[in-house]
Protein backbone atom coordinates (compact mmCIF):
# COMPACT_ATOMS: atom_id res chain seq x y z
CA UNK A 1 0.00 0.00 0.00
CA UNK A 2 1.09 3.65 0.02
CA UNK A 3 2.78 3.16 3.40
CA UNK A 4 4.86 0.18 2.26
CA UNK A 5 2.78 -2.41 4.12
CA UNK A 6 2.48 -5.67 2.15
CA UNK A 7 0.40 -8.72 1.45
CA UNK A 8 3.05 -11.38 0.59
CA UNK A 9 1.52 -14.78 -0.22
CA UNK A 10 4.85 -16.65 -0.34
CA UNK A 11 5.32 -15.86 3.36
CA UNK A 12 1.66 -15.89 4.38
CA UNK A 13 2.16 -12.29 5.44
CA UNK A 14 -0.53 -9.58 5.46
CA UNK A 15 0.54 -6.29 7.02
CA UNK A 16 -2.07 -4.38 5.00
CA UNK A 17 -5.07 -5.90 6.75
CA UNK A 18 -8.31 -4.90 5.06
CA UNK A 19 -8.65 -3.12 1.74
CA UNK A 20 -9.50 0.55 2.34
CA UNK A 21 -12.23 2.37 0.40
CA UNK A 22 -10.78 4.69 -2.31
CA UNK A 23 -7.22 3.50 -1.68
CA UNK A 24 -4.94 2.21 -4.43
CA UNK A 25 -2.44 -0.65 -4.26
CA UNK A 26 0.70 -1.60 -6.15
CA UNK A 27 0.71 -5.24 -7.29
CA UNK A 28 3.38 -7.40 -8.91
CA UNK A 29 2.27 -10.60 -10.67
CA UNK A 30 4.15 -13.47 -12.31
CA UNK A 31 1.77 -13.51 -15.28
CA UNK A 32 -1.06 -11.53 -16.83
CA UNK A 33 -4.27 -12.27 -14.95
CA UNK A 34 -7.79 -11.01 -14.31
CA UNK A 35 -8.83 -9.89 -10.83
CA UNK A 36 -12.56 -10.13 -10.17
CA UNK A 37 -13.81 -8.04 -7.26
CA UNK A 38 -17.22 -8.50 -5.62
CA UNK A 39 -19.11 -6.29 -3.23
CA UNK A 40 -21.09 -3.06 -3.16
CA UNK A 41 -20.18 -0.09 -5.33
CA UNK A 42 -18.62 2.90 -3.62
CA UNK A 43 -20.38 6.25 -3.76
CA UNK A 44 -18.56 8.08 -6.61
CA UNK A 45 -19.02 11.35 -4.71
CA UNK A 46 -17.52 9.99 -1.47
CA UNK A 47 -14.94 12.10 0.35
CA UNK A 48 -11.61 10.72 1.51
CA UNK A 49 -8.38 12.11 2.88
CA UNK A 50 -5.16 12.44 0.89
CA UNK A 51 -2.08 13.09 3.01
CA UNK A 52 0.83 15.41 2.39
CA UNK A 53 3.54 13.55 0.47
CA UNK A 54 3.04 10.40 -1.60
CA UNK A 55 -0.26 8.51 -1.70
CA UNK A 56 -1.94 5.85 -3.86
CA UNK A 57 -5.59 6.59 -4.57
CA UNK A 58 -8.26 4.59 -6.37
CA UNK A 59 -10.64 6.02 -8.96
CA UNK A 60 -14.12 5.38 -7.57
CA UNK A 61 -16.18 6.70 -10.47
CA UNK A 62 -17.42 4.18 -13.06
CA UNK A 63 -17.06 6.46 -16.08
CA UNK A 64 -13.65 7.49 -17.43
CA UNK A 65 -12.83 11.19 -17.26
CA UNK A 66 -9.96 13.59 -17.92
CA UNK A 67 -7.34 13.44 -15.17
CA UNK A 68 -6.96 17.22 -15.04
CA UNK A 69 -10.71 17.69 -14.57
CA UNK A 70 -10.94 14.99 -11.92
CA UNK A 71 -8.07 16.41 -9.84
CA UNK A 72 -9.16 20.04 -10.24
CA UNK A 73 -10.54 20.35 -6.66
CA UNK A 74 -7.02 19.88 -5.24
CA UNK A 75 -4.86 21.09 -8.13
CA UNK A 76 -3.33 23.88 -6.01
CA UNK A 77 -1.87 21.27 -3.65
CA UNK A 78 -1.12 18.58 -6.25
CA UNK A 79 2.56 18.27 -7.20
CA UNK A 80 2.26 15.35 -9.61
CA UNK A 81 0.15 12.28 -10.35
CA UNK A 82 1.51 9.08 -11.95
CA UNK A 83 -0.11 5.94 -13.30
CA UNK A 84 1.39 2.44 -13.22
CA UNK A 85 3.25 3.05 -16.51
CA UNK A 86 4.95 6.23 -15.32
CA UNK A 87 2.70 8.56 -17.35
CA UNK A 88 1.99 11.79 -15.47
CA UNK A 89 -0.42 14.61 -14.89
CA UNK A 90 1.91 17.47 -13.93
CA UNK A 91 -0.05 20.69 -13.29
CA UNK A 92 3.03 22.93 -13.07
CA UNK A 93 3.80 22.12 -16.72
CA UNK A 94 0.20 21.80 -17.92
CA UNK A 95 1.15 18.25 -18.93
CA UNK A 96 -1.28 15.32 -18.96
CA UNK A 97 0.19 12.12 -20.41
CA UNK A 98 -2.34 10.01 -18.46
CA UNK A 99 -5.36 11.25 -20.36
CA UNK A 100 -8.35 9.64 -18.66
CA UNK A 101 -8.61 8.21 -15.18
CA UNK A 102 -10.14 4.73 -15.36
CA UNK A 103 -12.39 2.81 -12.97
CA UNK A 104 -10.04 -0.17 -12.57
CA UNK A 105 -6.88 1.86 -11.93
CA UNK A 106 -4.96 3.30 -9.01
CA UNK A 107 -2.85 6.45 -9.15
CA UNK A 108 0.14 7.69 -7.22
CA UNK A 109 -0.18 11.33 -6.15
CA UNK A 110 2.18 13.67 -4.37
CA UNK A 111 0.54 16.45 -2.35
CA UNK A 112 1.96 19.58 -0.74
CA UNK A 113 -0.64 19.46 2.06
CA UNK A 114 -3.27 17.22 3.64
CA UNK A 115 -6.59 17.53 1.80
CA UNK A 116 -10.11 16.17 1.95
CA UNK A 117 -11.01 15.13 -1.58
CA UNK A 118 -14.00 13.98 -3.61
CA UNK A 119 -14.07 13.44 -7.35
CA UNK A 120 -16.18 16.14 -9.03
CA UNK A 121 -19.44 15.13 -10.66
CA UNK A 122 -18.95 17.44 -13.65
CA UNK A 123 -19.33 16.78 -17.35
CA UNK A 124 -16.93 13.85 -17.39
CA UNK A 125 -15.01 15.34 -20.33
CA UNK A 126 -12.67 12.77 -21.84
CA UNK A 127 -8.99 13.57 -22.03
CA UNK A 128 -6.62 12.61 -24.81
CA UNK A 129 -3.04 11.50 -24.37
CA UNK A 130 -0.88 11.03 -27.47
CA UNK A 131 0.47 7.46 -27.37
CA UNK A 132 4.27 7.33 -27.34
CA UNK A 133 5.51 5.65 -30.50
CA UNK A 134 9.23 4.90 -30.60
CA UNK A 135 11.11 4.41 -33.87
CA UNK A 136 14.78 4.39 -32.91
CA UNK A 137 14.89 3.52 -29.21
CA UNK A 138 13.09 0.66 -27.49
CA UNK A 139 10.68 1.10 -24.59
CA UNK A 140 12.30 0.47 -21.21
CA UNK A 141 10.70 -2.26 -19.07
CA UNK A 142 8.41 -1.34 -16.19
CA UNK A 143 10.25 -2.35 -13.02
CA UNK A 144 7.69 -1.07 -10.52
CA UNK A 145 9.56 2.02 -9.31
CA UNK A 146 10.55 5.12 -11.20
CA UNK A 147 11.64 8.72 -11.21
CA UNK A 148 10.26 11.60 -13.30
CA UNK A 149 12.62 13.93 -15.16
CA UNK A 150 11.17 17.14 -16.56
CA UNK A 151 12.69 18.57 -19.73
CA UNK A 152 10.84 21.87 -20.32
CA UNK A 153 10.81 23.46 -23.75
CA UNK A 154 12.41 26.58 -22.21
CA UNK A 155 15.50 24.60 -21.13
CA UNK A 156 16.79 23.61 -24.59
CA UNK A 157 19.62 25.62 -26.13
CA UNK A 158 18.71 24.00 -29.46
CA UNK A 159 15.11 22.80 -29.64
CA UNK A 160 14.62 19.23 -30.93
CA UNK A 161 12.36 18.61 -33.90
CA UNK A 162 9.00 16.92 -33.47
CA UNK A 163 9.63 13.18 -33.82
CA UNK A 164 13.11 13.26 -32.30
CA UNK A 165 13.58 10.75 -29.49
CA UNK A 166 15.25 10.98 -26.06
CA UNK A 167 16.66 7.96 -24.26
CA UNK A 168 18.03 7.54 -20.73
CA UNK A 169 20.71 5.06 -19.64
CA UNK A 170 22.19 3.81 -16.39
CA UNK A 171 25.93 3.65 -15.71
CA UNK A 172 26.12 0.26 -17.48
CA UNK A 173 24.53 1.72 -20.65
CA UNK A 174 21.27 -0.14 -19.98
CA UNK A 175 18.23 1.64 -21.45
CA UNK A 176 16.04 2.75 -18.53
CA UNK A 177 13.71 5.27 -20.19
CA UNK A 178 12.70 6.72 -23.55
CA UNK A 179 10.20 9.13 -25.07
CA UNK A 180 9.40 11.15 -28.19
CA UNK A 181 9.51 14.93 -28.52
CA UNK A 182 6.08 16.23 -29.54
CA UNK A 183 6.80 19.95 -29.34
CA UNK A 184 5.72 20.25 -25.69
CA UNK A 185 7.37 19.85 -22.30
CA UNK A 186 8.71 16.34 -21.66
CA UNK A 187 8.16 14.18 -18.59
CA UNK A 188 10.68 11.38 -19.02
CA UNK A 189 10.10 8.35 -16.79
CA UNK A 190 13.27 6.46 -15.82
CA UNK A 191 12.91 3.07 -14.16
CA UNK A 192 14.70 1.88 -11.04
CA UNK A 193 15.98 -1.56 -10.15
CA UNK A 194 13.36 -4.14 -9.19
CA UNK A 195 14.76 -5.46 -5.92
CA UNK A 196 12.48 -8.52 -6.01
CA UNK A 197 14.64 -9.96 -8.81
CA UNK A 198 18.23 -11.21 -8.65
CA UNK A 199 19.32 -9.35 -11.80
CA UNK A 200 19.86 -5.59 -11.94
CA UNK A 201 17.20 -4.31 -14.34
CA UNK A 202 17.10 -0.60 -13.61
CA UNK A 203 18.75 2.28 -11.78
CA UNK A 204 20.14 1.78 -8.30
CA UNK A 205 19.52 4.50 -5.74
CA UNK A 206 22.27 7.11 -6.17
CA UNK A 207 23.15 5.98 -9.71
CA UNK A 208 23.66 8.64 -12.36
CA UNK A 209 21.42 8.92 -15.42
CA UNK A 210 22.81 9.81 -18.86
CA UNK A 211 20.84 10.86 -21.91
CA UNK A 212 20.96 10.66 -25.70
CA UNK A 213 18.92 12.35 -28.41
CA UNK A 214 18.18 10.81 -31.80
CA UNK A 215 17.65 13.25 -34.65
CA UNK A 216 14.83 11.75 -36.72
CA UNK A 217 15.60 13.84 -39.80
CA UNK A 218 19.33 13.11 -40.02
CA UNK A 219 19.30 9.71 -38.27
CA UNK A 220 22.10 10.76 -35.91
CA UNK A 221 22.63 10.44 -32.16
CA UNK A 222 23.90 13.15 -29.84
CA UNK A 223 24.67 13.16 -26.14
CA UNK A 224 22.14 15.23 -24.22
CA UNK A 225 23.74 17.11 -21.33
CA UNK A 226 21.80 18.87 -18.57
CA UNK A 227 24.13 21.64 -17.38
CA UNK A 228 21.73 23.08 -14.79
CA UNK A 229 18.78 21.76 -12.78
CA UNK A 230 15.87 23.77 -11.38
CA UNK A 231 15.03 20.87 -9.05
CA UNK A 232 16.72 17.57 -8.25
CA UNK A 233 19.60 16.21 -10.31
CA UNK A 234 20.62 13.38 -12.62
CA UNK A 235 20.99 11.01 -9.65
CA UNK A 236 18.26 8.40 -9.24
CA UNK A 237 15.95 8.40 -6.24
CA UNK A 238 12.71 6.42 -6.01
CA UNK A 239 9.79 8.73 -6.92
CA UNK A 240 12.26 11.58 -7.39
CA UNK A 241 11.29 14.65 -9.42
CA UNK A 242 14.04 16.47 -11.31
CA UNK A 243 13.54 19.48 -13.61
CA UNK A 244 16.22 20.61 -16.06
CA UNK A 245 16.76 24.32 -16.69
CA UNK A 246 19.54 24.16 -19.31
CA UNK A 247 20.03 21.41 -21.89
CA UNK A 248 22.84 21.21 -24.45
CA UNK A 249 23.71 18.67 -27.12
CA UNK A 250 27.19 17.24 -27.54
CA UNK A 251 27.72 15.37 -30.81
CA UNK A 252 29.46 12.01 -30.88
CA UNK A 253 33.12 12.22 -31.88
CA UNK A 254 33.33 8.84 -33.60
CA UNK A 255 34.05 8.70 -37.32
CA UNK A 256 30.52 7.64 -38.13
CA UNK A 257 29.23 10.87 -36.61
CA UNK A 258 30.00 12.44 -40.01
CA UNK A 259 27.23 11.37 -42.37
CA UNK A 260 26.35 11.87 -46.02
CA UNK A 261 22.85 10.82 -47.05
CA UNK A 262 21.39 9.56 -50.30
CA UNK A 263 20.25 12.38 -52.56
CA UNK A 264 16.50 12.82 -53.01
CA UNK A 265 15.00 12.41 -55.54
CA UNK A 266 17.17 9.88 -57.31
CA UNK A 267 17.13 9.69 -60.28
CA UNK A 268 16.40 13.38 -60.86
CA UNK A 269 16.01 15.92 -63.59
CA UNK A 270 17.55 19.33 -62.90
CA UNK A 271 17.50 19.49 -59.10
CA UNK A 272 18.21 17.10 -56.23
CA UNK A 273 18.83 17.56 -52.49
CA UNK A 274 21.85 16.14 -50.65
CA UNK A 275 21.65 16.12 -46.85
CA UNK A 276 24.70 15.75 -44.64
CA UNK A 277 25.61 15.93 -40.97
CA UNK A 278 28.77 17.07 -39.19
CA UNK A 279 29.09 17.25 -35.38
CA UNK A 280 30.36 20.84 -35.27
CA UNK A 281 30.02 24.17 -37.11
CA UNK A 282 32.53 24.00 -39.98
CA UNK A 283 32.71 24.80 -43.68
CA UNK A 284 32.24 21.70 -45.80
CA UNK A 285 32.89 20.76 -49.41
CA UNK A 286 30.71 18.28 -51.26
CA UNK A 287 32.31 16.79 -54.34
CA UNK A 288 30.37 15.22 -57.21
CA UNK A 289 32.10 12.43 -59.17
CA UNK A 290 31.12 10.38 -62.18
CA UNK A 291 31.09 6.58 -62.29
CA UNK A 292 34.78 6.58 -63.31
CA UNK A 293 35.71 8.40 -60.11
CA UNK A 294 36.44 11.63 -61.99
CA UNK A 295 35.69 14.92 -60.24
CA UNK A 296 32.75 16.71 -61.91
CA UNK A 297 31.70 19.60 -59.60
Amino acid sequence: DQNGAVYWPAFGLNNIGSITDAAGYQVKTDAETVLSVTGGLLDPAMSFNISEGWNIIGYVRLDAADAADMMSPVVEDLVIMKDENGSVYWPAFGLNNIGNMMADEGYQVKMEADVSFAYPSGSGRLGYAEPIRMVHYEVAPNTGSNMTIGLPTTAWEVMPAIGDEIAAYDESDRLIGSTTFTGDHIALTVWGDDLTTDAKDGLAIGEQVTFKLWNSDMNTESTLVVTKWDAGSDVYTIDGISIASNITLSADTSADAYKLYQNVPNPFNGTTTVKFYVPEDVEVTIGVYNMLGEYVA
Side-chain angles (χ1 to χ4, degrees):
D1 65 7
Q2 67 186 38
N3 299 310
V6 302
Y7 166 51
W8 203 343
F11 290 93
L13 191 62
N14 180 14
N15 293 333
I16 292 175
S18 299
I19 296 291
T20 302
D21 291 351
Y25 298 87
Q26 189 175 27
V27 179
K28 181 178 182 181
T29 61
D30 284 329
E32 186 173 332
T33 187
V34 175
L35 174 64
S36 297
V37 181
T38 59
L41 291 174
L42 295 176
D43 178 2
M46 68 173 289
S47 296
F48 56 96
N49 294 323
I50 308 179
S51 302
E52 179 182 356
W54 283 104
N55 305 259
I56 309 177
I57 63 173
Y59 184 64
V60 300
R61 289 173 47 130
L62 292 179
D63 52 321
D66 180 72
D69 285 355
M70 291 297 97
M71 299 306 295
S72 60
V74 293
V75 70
E76 296 299 322
D77 294 310
L78 175 64
V79 179
I80 198 169
M81 179 167 71
K82 301 192 291 186
D83 68 9
E84 64 186 301
N85 299 311
S87 297
V88 303
Y89 166 48
W90 202 345
F93 288 96
L95 194 61
N96 179 13
N97 294 333
I98 292 174
N100 294 317
M101 298 184 75
M102 308 292 291
D104 57 351
E105 295 290 334
Y107 298 87
Q108 197 173 13
V109 295
K110 184 176 184 181
M111 306 298 297
E112 289 183 334
D114 295 344
V115 296
S116 178
F117 175 70
Y119 289 105
S121 57
S123 63
R125 179 177 67 93
L126 295 179
Y128 176 74
E130 182 74 26
I132 297 176
R133 297 182 177 91
M134 307 302 297
V135 175
H136 184 71
Y137 298 114
E138 295 181 355
V139 176
N142 183 332
T143 61
S145 63
N146 59 53
M147 171 181 174
T148 305
I149 297 178
L151 304 175
T153 55
T154 54
W156 297 87
E157 288 192 356
V158 178
M159 186 77 72
I162 293 175
D164 289 359
E165 296 179 6
I166 296 95
Y169 296 86
D170 66 8
E171 294 176 3
S172 302
D173 288 329
R174 176 186 290 103
L175 181 73
I176 43 84
S178 61
T179 193
T180 301
F181 182 67
T182 61
D184 202 350
H185 304 306
I186 291 174
L188 175 61
T189 299
V190 296
W191 294 95
D193 186 27
D194 182 356
L195 297 179
T196 67
T197 65
D198 293 332
K200 183 178 182 295
D201 44 21
L203 290 157
I205 295 173
E207 189 171 4
Q208 188 176 28
V209 185
T210 57
F211 309 93
K212 287 189 177 181
L213 181 138
W214 174 68
N215 184 306
S216 57
D217 184 34
M218 306 298 272
N219 191 28
T220 55
E221 270 191 343
S222 301
T223 300
L224 188 156
V225 180
V226 179
T227 59
K228 186 177 180 182
W229 296 90
D230 266 344
S233 69
D234 57 359
V235 173
Y236 178 73
T237 58
I238 298 174
D239 292 326
I241 301 173
S242 293
I243 304 172
S245 61
N246 186 260
I247 304 169
T248 64
L249 297 178
S250 176
D252 295 338
T253 57
S254 59
D256 61 358
Y258 299 84
K259 295 185 181 292
L260 181 66
Y261 298 92
Q262 176 67 54
N263 64 302
V264 178
N266 182 33
F268 65 95
N269 182 15
T271 302
T272 189
T273 298
V274 179
K275 290 186 178 182
F276 64 92
Y277 172 82
V278 291
E280 55 189 333
D281 288 334
V282 292
E283 292 187 1
V284 300
T285 299
I286 296 179
V288 181
Y289 296 82
N290 63 22
M291 295 183 68
L292 300 177
E294 297 169 336
Y295 179 76
V296 175

